Amino acid sequence: MHAYLKLDHIDKTFTRGNSTTEVLKDINLTIEKGEYVSIIGHSGCGKSTLLNIVAGLTGATHGGVLLENREVNSPGPDRAVVFQNHSLLPWLTVYENVKLGVDKVFAKTKTRAERDAWVMHNLNLVQMAHAKDKRPNEISGGMKQRVGIARALAMEPKVLLLDEPFGALDALTRAHLQDSVMALHQKLGNTILMITHDVDEAVLLSDRIVMMTNGPSARIGEVLEVPLARPRKRLELATNSSYLKCRQRVLEFLYERHRFVEAA
Amino acid sequence: MSMPAVKTDAATTALPVASAPVVTMTPKRAPQSEKYAKMAKEVAVRVVPPLIVVALLLVVWELICRRAGSALPPPSRVFSDTRELIFDPFFDHGGIDKGLFWHLSASLQRVAYGYSIAAIVGVALGTLVGQSVWAMRGLDPLFQVLRTIPPLAWLPLSLAAFRDGHPSAIFVIFITSVWPIIINTAVGIRNIPQDYRNVAAVVQLNPLEFFSKIMIPAAAPYIFTGLRIGIGLSWLAIVAAEMLIGGVGIGFFIWDAWNSSHISEIILALFYVGIIGFVLDRLIAGLAKFVTHGTAVN
């Protein structure tokens, strides 16, 4: 397998005073170019921490992240993040929010007019061009997340990191946005690493599902290949036997073998 | 697959697009006269009650003070005594015998200098304290002690240092208004959500861009709270400081009127001081609204 993004023996411990908590233990994962990989696990298992380590926002205690065989340990636009709560800057318009990243990434390689066109191109990709002059508090939650995706895509990242991107949305909006992300992945061929706690979402979107055990010291419990051809259609999959099998497998992992234990 | 997905999305996004213009068009189509009537009503609701209260207070004041031998003049006396000052604020007979406009503008100028320096220094120091834990540990206790010193207590010291009334007054303005600006800015910077810092890190903003594009806008609501408190304090301090340093200025005008037993002039000056203080406060509030685009609460 050609390793595009490689998570190499990642350990993470948090130290506060005298107490040390081991959050992640020996995480190894290799992701191919163009692959869509989901990480699923119960809340508190450290999956967001893992994403932050890949993004470079948090440092790993041991091990590291290799992107195209080069170690990456600080944040950068090559690993753009779509944050769970969209994190748009409320004082900037939709257009300016996307432009912020574009201006930095393409400062030298694109002219002003090209950057402008590129921002609009990305807003068009997520069907948000009509709201370009609105501010984040004037658009709906789903629209904000679309803009968040446009902002990340516009940086032309090597890996797109999605941190529970649909978690804060209602079910209908979520389904729409999942379809959009699928269409974008199909069209642009991005490498995507997504954090989720939704089993259906993981099976529908991913090529592989990485299932994490409960923390502390969370490990990768199992990696499941999703053998479904793309493009995938939500309605047809509902009765597809391999879809159901994958779903069953993930559910078994999460609710039988690694049930969520409420912290005392 | 990609086509149907795009289509369904286009269909859903088409709805808000179609309905949005209708929402914005409705007020435009309302008849002009109705719009003005509504505006007039809104203005009346705000203006009439305070006018009634002021009128009542004036009547009470008139009734109390019109008796012979009253220590303070009634409003009618104030008006007749100060008629010249009210209607000709621009006269200049040399020295400190000038119209009220010149006194007020001299005071405002001092406030403008002192307050501008306070705003710049306050935001800079506040950013430092908000951003660096060590700067906070080192400086915060100092600020907490210094800010409790009354403005006028600084005046003798600054007179000793500057050997001149004018810079001393400016210094007093500065030292009075800088503390709330520092403290509020620091709180604002400390409260910048981690999300915004993460965005800045992913986009790789350099420190200067981070300061101008994230820190200042994110902390703007807090900074403007400090600036608003600061302008109020500096206007409080200038009157007191000018009473002591003399020269042209509304503070000394009041003191001079007291020394010459022109009580009506004092009352007129107080009226102007109040109005200008109010206008200054509104100016900063308006500026805050303009700068933060109404996104202060998000």
Side-chain angles (χ1 to χ4, degrees):
Chain A
M1 190 192 283
H2 172 68
Y4 188 63
L5 178 71
K6 191 173 159 103
L7 280 59
D8 196 11
H9 295 92
I10 290 178
D11 292 340
K12 178 69 185 175
T13 49
F14 283 113
T15 312
R16 174 170 287 175
N18 291 326
S19 70
T20 354
T21 323
E22 188 170 42
V23 183
L24 297 170
K25 189 169 169 62
D26 202 27
I27 304 286
N28 287 294
L29 185 64
T30 322
I31 297 173
E32 279 178 79
K33 189 167 183 171
E35 210 179 1
Y36 196 129
V37 175
S38 292
I39 298 176
I40 196 166
H42 292 290
S43 64
C45 75
K47 51 192 195 298
S48 279
T49 308
L50 183 59
L51 189 97
N52 281 343
I53 291 172
V54 178
L57 295 168
T58 311
T61 311
H62 294 294
V65 179
L66 296 163
L67 180 60
E68 289 187 311
N69 294 319
R70 278 185 37 239
E71 185 177 10
V72 283
N73 50 18
S74 63
D78 55 346
R79 282 151 293 133
V81 187
V82 176
F83 298 94
Q84 179 177 11
N85 55 357
H86 66 78
S87 294
L88 298 179
L89 304 175
W91 54 87
L92 298 180
T93 63
V94 161
Y95 175 85
E96 289 165 337
N97 263 291
V98 179
K99 188 121 189 298
L100 184 72
V102 171
D103 277 350
K104 277 304 280 186
V105 177
F106 301 108
K108 296 201 178 85
T109 51
K110 278 184 162 66
T111 65
R112 181 179 283 269
E114 281 170 343
R115 292 200 297 261
D116 170 71
W118 178 243
V119 171
M120 289 316 294
H121 171 74
N122 280 282
L123 283 175
N124 271 317
L125 279 180
V126 295
Q127 287 119 33
M128 282 304 295
H130 62 91
K132 74 182 183 79
D133 294 322
K134 292 221 163 87
R135 288 185 199 284
N137 58 8
E138 296 169 329
I139 59 179
S140 71
M143 289 177 165
K144 283 178 200 161
Q145 205 50 281
R146 282 174 189 275
V147 178
I149 292 169
R151 174 173 65 186
L153 284 176
M155 293 185 239
E156 276 194 330
K158 291 176 177 160
V159 181
L160 188 58
L161 303 173
L162 309 179
D163 186 3
E164 296 189 26
F166 316 115
L169 304 174
D170 65 273
L172 288 175
T173 313
R174 187 185 305 172
H176 267 302
L177 214 48
Q178 286 166 351
D179 288 344
S180 294
V181 167
M182 249 196 303
L184 284 170
H185 179 232
Q186 189 79 14
K187 191 171 171 183
L188 306 174
N190 306 82
T191 310
I192 301 181
L193 181 63
M194 176 175 80
I195 301 290
T196 184
H197 51 231
D198 182 329
V199 177
D200 289 296
E201 178 175 295
V203 179
L204 177 68
L205 295 176
S206 324
D207 297 316
R208 276 191 298 153
I209 302 174
V210 175
M211 292 172 257
M212 292 191 58
T213 65
N214 286 320
S217 304
R219 294 168 292 104
I220 292 180
E222 195 179 326
V223 179
L224 177 71
E225 295 263 356
V226 182
L228 293 168
R230 290 179 189 272
R232 297 172 183 170
K233 285 186 182 154
R234 183 182 299 278
L235 286 175
E236 290 170 15
L237 286 179
T239 51
N240 183 310
S241 64
S242 42
Y243 174 84
L244 294 173
K245 226 186 273 170
C246 290
R247 197 169 170 276
Q248 185 64 26
R249 190 78 180 272
V250 180
L251 286 172
E252 271 171 16
F253 179 90
L254 289 177
Y255 298 104
E256 278 179 25
R257 282 189 281 149
H258 295 276
R259 282 173 61 176
F260 183 56
V261 197
E262 196 75 49
Chain B
M1 175 57 209
S2 73
M3 279 313 287
V6 171
K7 263 185 196 160
T8 46
D9 281 316
T12 49
T13 46
L15 266 173
V17 171
S19 62
V22 177
V23 174
T24 50
M25 288 300 279
T26 328
K28 273 187 194 159
R29 279 184 188 159
Q32 287 291 311
S33 58
E34 206 172 281
K35 197 174 141 197
Y36 287 133
K38 203 176 162 195
M39 269 169 62
K41 201 176 169 187
E42 274 172 18
V43 171
V45 164
R46 280 163 166 256
V47 170
V48 172
L51 278 183
I52 294 173
V53 172
V54 169
L56 278 175
L57 285 176
L58 283 175
V59 169
V60 172
W61 175 10
E62 180 78 34
L63 290 176
I64 293 175
C65 293
R66 74 190 306 176
R67 292 173 291 115
S70 162
L72 296 176
S76 54
R77 264 277 302 288
V78 171
F79 183 74
S80 58
D81 285 353
T82 59
R83 184 185 292 254
E84 192 198 347
L85 285 169
I86 294 172
F87 291 112
D88 184 12
F90 299 109
F91 71 84
D92 186 351
H93 300 322
I96 57 161
D97 191 7
K98 292 183 201 298
L100 273 170
F101 172 82
W102 302 110
H103 287 287
L104 286 167
S105 81
S107 300
L108 278 173
Q109 229 170 59
R110 292 193 181 107
V111 168
Y113 282 128
Y115 180 70
S116 303
I117 300 171
I120 294 165
V121 173
V123 170
L125 275 177
T127 306
L128 178 71
V129 171
Q131 185 66 3
S132 148
V133 177
W134 280 104
M136 188 191 74
R137 285 180 190 159
L139 290 171
D140 196 56
L142 201 67
F143 292 163
Q144 297 300 340
V145 172
L146 289 180
R147 79 188 175 94
T148 61
I149 298 176
L152 283 190
W154 290 101
L155 189 61
L157 190 68
S158 57
L159 279 171
F162 294 111
R163 296 170 193 281
D164 186 12
H166 188 61
S168 303
I170 291 175
F171 175 78
V172 169
I173 301 297
F174 162 77
I175 206 79
T176 310
S177 54
V178 77
W179 309 116
I181 302 176
I182 293 177
I183 290 165
N184 281 284
T185 304
V187 171
I189 299 286
R190 230 172 286 152
N191 282 347
I192 294 175
Q194 187 60 39
D195 295 342
Y196 299 168
R197 294 179 188 275
N198 286 347
V199 169
V202 170
V203 176
Q204 286 188 326
L205 296 180
N206 62 40
L208 203 67
E209 287 167 325
F210 181 65
F211 177 74
S212 66
K213 291 186 175 169
I214 308 281
M215 270 187 170
I216 292 297
Y222 291 88
I223 295 175
F224 274 103
T225 305
L227 287 176
R228 229 176 129 179
I229 299 172
I231 194 80
L233 288 181
S234 57
W235 191 239
L236 291 182
I238 188 65
V239 174
E242 281 176 348
M243 282 185 176
L244 295 177
I245 61 167
V248 180
I250 193 67
F252 187 69
F253 176 87
I254 294 173
W255 194 243
D256 192 41
W258 160 245
N259 283 332
S260 346
S261 304
H262 293 150
I263 308 299
S264 296
E265 288 182 10
I266 298 179
I267 293 172
L268 178 71
L270 291 189
F271 175 74
Y272 278 127
V273 168
I275 292 289
I276 289 182
F278 175 76
V279 169
L280 287 176
D281 181 66
R282 287 290 126 160
L283 268 179
I284 302 293
L287 188 68
K289 212 170 177 184
F290 175 74
V291 171
T292 55
H293 303 294
T295 56
V297 187
N298 73 77

